[in-house]
Amino acid sequence: MSGPVIPIYDHETGVLCGHADLHNNTFAAIDRNGQVHNMSLGQGDVHIERALANYASGFSNAQGCADIAMPPVLVANASDRYWEWDKDDAFQAVDGTVVSPGANVREVSARLSSNRFQTKQYALGAFVPTEVTANADAPLQIILQDMRRVMAALHVNREIRVADIMLNSANYSGNRLITLGAGAKWNGGASSDPIANIQQIMEAMLMPASGMIMDLTTWNWFTRNPAVQKFTTFKTAAPPIPGADQRDMFASLLNIPKPHVCQMRRKNMAVADSYPFVWANDVVVYHRPEGGGLPLDGRDVATGYTFRWTGGTVEGATVEGGWMIRSFFNPYRGARGGTQIIVTHNDAEQFISGFVGGLIKGAIQ
């Protein structure tokens, strides 16, 4: 609603030179050409835009499954060997019948071999010029964000390496490898039976299954699969599609290994706006000793380990779990120098035994 508008005249010439809006407290001047000029101040006239001091948005990747599939084992040397007792020592029957009193007893010996690992160094760095840090707005935290950028890239790289090993069909044999055809896919196959697929792997493994890894899309199709829902119908009155906090209960209900639903993504550089899951389409079933540690008594084994070298540390570096982070002032780059960031780790991702693991290849299409 507008208030009264009062015309304003030049007191000498009597020419209209403007008007005042008493309701909106505005004043407009009229020049000699009859053009009206608003003389009141607007919001844009009294504020110079600047960056918010408490807001800087960004993204973070999901937690990966590399340390679940191949738990890190800290080692003192960059390369070494590890002992392996023959699997048949635990399963092979030997006739121990004594043919007569005093007869010689048949003897057996434990069979032993060794295998070698060689760690590789992985490292990335960032350099932040002094000019940038000195001129940056407070919420940006340039050095911290560059360090996060380095760590994120190294974690994605490791996740891809581990997934490539664990999803490699050549590492599995016999009934421990299932390649699903179109009719058996979990997302629409006419003869699809996910529980039977998983149980076949469990039955073929020489040690009990500790867990299984799949991506979110595969897990969602698993829970929506008609065969899975029919299976749960006779066991519980609860809804057959579980939420994230019900996965352990759901696995126990179906008598399948604990599922780890891995949602880490990677950027597909060949396709615009494409960020597929690292563990896409396939399902890995694995075994590892309780607690994820090394088997020391020759009675356990794991599907895979990551041997991580802890040597080569330098003064001033931060070392945690075999990851070494260095941050220091580098006076030799740029006019004013800057902060140098380097993150490194030495890993050997080692597939130990396909006899205690399994792979469902192409669970979904």
Side-chain angles (χ1 to χ4, degrees), residues 137-156:
D137 288 337
L140 294 182
Q141 304 181 72
I142 301 294
I143 294 177
L144 175 61
Q145 291 302 324
D146 275 356
M147 186 172 294
R148 287 173 175 169
R149 171 75 176 93
V150 170
M151 291 295 297
L154 287 172
H155 278 299
V156 173

Side-chain angles (χ1 to χ4, degrees), residues 80-85 111-117:
D80 252 325
R81 305 189 74 87
Y82 54 92
W83 297 111
E84 292 183 308
W85 293 105
R111 290 163 286 194
L112 182 64
S113 61
S114 66
N115 209 338
R116 181 178 183 270
F117 68 84

Side-chain angles (χ1 to χ4, degrees), residues 41 59 208 243 312 322 363:
L41 293 175
F59 292 83

Side-chain angles (χ1 to χ4, degrees), residues 177-199:
L177 172 63
I178 302 175
T179 302
L180 296 183
K185 300 290 186 183
W186 294 2
N187 57 337
S191 58
S192 174
D193 195 341
I195 297 174
N197 298 152
I198 296 169
Q199 289 177 343

Side-chain angles (χ1 to χ4, degrees), residues 82-90 109-114 295-301:
Y82 54 92
W83 297 111
E84 292 183 308
W85 293 105
D86 194 297
K87 67 179 184 304
D88 287 343
D89 287 355
S109 297
R111 290 163 286 194
L112 182 64
S113 61
S114 66
L296 299 177
D297 63 356
R299 300 182 63 188
D300 211 337
V301 67

